[in-house]
Amino acid sequence: MTLPPATVTENGVLQKGLHQDGRRLTPQRKRVLELFERLGTGNHLSAEDVHQQLAQLQMKVSLATVYRTLRLLADMGFLQELELSEGGRRFELAADDHRDHHHVVCIRCGRTEEFESEPVLAAGEMAARGFGFKLIESTLNVRAICPDCQG
């Protein structure tokens, strides 16, 4: 499978961010981020999904390393983490023009779909202001059962 080149790692943003924190840009970290970059925004992957996709590309990265790398890249702001109430976590590529979006998540299979809603954003802003907070981001996770799992 031929994949297009990655973007964030080529201009050194990841490498600079890692070095500022005293961490190295390991091949495994680069592979994980490149996978998300190639998939683009709106793709929600669990650690197991990332591990499986890297294995399909003949890129060897242990599952434990994938877990640590996803947490690191989320902490650094390269990935956004979606925490599901069932205990699962999904990750997606962070993008400034894609921050305030919401998710409909199937509670059985984990399928995740995105949607945008101005009323939800307005409600978040109003709630934050009402308590004297400054809104950073607003997300809503809607738990549901997808069509495939209903039948």
Side-chain angles (χ1 to χ4, degrees), residues 34-50:
E34 285 176 346
L35 174 66
F36 279 95
E37 290 174 332
R38 289 171 179 144
L39 293 173
T41 57
N43 289 285
H44 307 85
L45 302 177
S46 67
E48 292 80 8
D49 294 335
V50 171

Side-chain angles (χ1 to χ4, degrees), residues 130-141:
F131 292 103
F133 286 50
K134 178 183 176 192
L135 182 68
I136 303 299
E137 72 177 343
S138 179
T139 60
L140 172 69
N141 294 332

Side-chain angles (χ1 to χ4, degrees), residues 19-99:
H19 284 300
Q20 285 174 351
D21 290 342
R23 299 180 178 110
R24 294 180 311 130
L25 176 60
T26 64
Q28 295 87 351
R29 290 173 180 166
K30 189 173 178 180
R31 287 177 191 147
V32 170
L33 186 58
E34 285 176 346
L35 174 66
F36 279 95
E37 290 174 332
R38 289 171 179 144
L39 293 173
T41 57
N43 289 285
H44 307 85
L45 302 177
S46 67
E48 292 80 8
D49 294 335
V50 171
H51 184 254
Q52 181 181 31
Q53 289 201 27
L54 290 174
Q56 288 173 353
L57 296 168
Q58 278 79 48
M59 295 181 181
K60 297 199 181 226
V61 179
S62 74
L63 184 56
T65 298
V66 168
Y67 273 105
R68 286 190 303 271
T69 300
L70 290 172
R71 168 67 57 213
L72 172 67
L73 293 174
D75 289 346
M76 293 180 69
F78 288 104
L79 300 179
Q80 281 187 294
E81 183 176 358
L82 169 62
E83 191 169 345
L84 306 177
S85 59
E86 289 76 27
R89 295 174 192 274
R90 303 238 186 239
F91 296 84
E92 64 183 312
L93 191 62
D96 287 337
D97 62 344
H98 195 67
R99 288 201 82 71

Side-chain angles (χ1 to χ4, degrees), residues 7-21:
T7 55
V8 171
T9 52
E10 282 181 0
N11 67 18
V13 174
L14 175 61
Q15 191 164 4
K16 287 176 191 168
L18 287 169
H19 284 300
Q20 285 174 351
D21 290 342

